[in-house]
Amino acid sequence: MILIVNKYLLGKGFNGVSLWPFVILKNKELKDDITFINHEKIHLRQQLEMLIIPFYIWYLMEYLLRLIYYKDRFLAYKNISFEREAYSQEMKENYLQDRKLWAFLQFV
């Protein structure tokens, strides 16, 4: 994982984004936020197991489908299976050690 701090690369409402193998943070204080970093590490694992490009395609398609369903950008984002896994497991520091392959499918 390579951390990059750049407040200009991220849109309003975003503190960070994982673009394998990088995690781009809005501010340097986020480097010390264990929960936030764990959330982003979960995304890096998801991206790697899906061979990176298919992850982004799936993510975008799922977001668009959920946007049609919920008619709300925030609800669509929060209900993407990758986000549901990351948010539900971000507090568990050892989650990635025990995580099973394709674990995000439990959250589809």
Side-chain angles (χ1 to χ4, degrees), residues 65-79:
L65 290 171
R66 295 195 186 276
L67 185 58
I68 291 166
Y69 180 79
Y70 290 107
K71 296 173 181 45
D72 180 282
R73 291 183 298 182
F74 183 72
L75 278 175
Y77 158 76
K78 288 291 270 193
N79 282 285

Side-chain angles (χ1 to χ4, degrees), residues 43-92:
H43 286 318
L44 291 175
R45 179 71 60 85
Q46 293 165 339
Q47 292 166 17
L48 190 57
E49 76 185 5
M50 289 194 70
L51 306 176
I52 302 159
I53 299 300
F55 169 86
Y56 298 115
I57 294 168
W58 182 317
Y59 192 103
L60 178 61
M61 295 305 296
E62 189 172 345
Y63 173 75
L64 293 174
L65 290 171
R66 295 195 186 276
L67 185 58
I68 291 166
Y69 180 79
Y70 290 107
K71 296 173 181 45
D72 180 282
R73 291 183 298 182
F74 183 72
L75 278 175
Y77 158 76
K78 288 291 270 193
N79 282 285
I80 295 170
S81 55
F82 301 113
E83 294 299 341
R84 290 176 64 194
E85 177 189 8
Y87 278 113
S88 69
Q89 305 302 320
E90 67 187 5
M91 298 290 282
K92 300 176 184 171

Side-chain angles (χ1 to χ4, degrees), residues 13-30:
F14 291 94
N15 287 323
V17 65
S18 296
L19 301 169
W20 197 89
F22 305 102
V23 174
I24 301 169
L25 307 174
K26 189 167 265 188
N27 60 60
K28 63 182 177 184
E29 290 77 27
L30 289 168

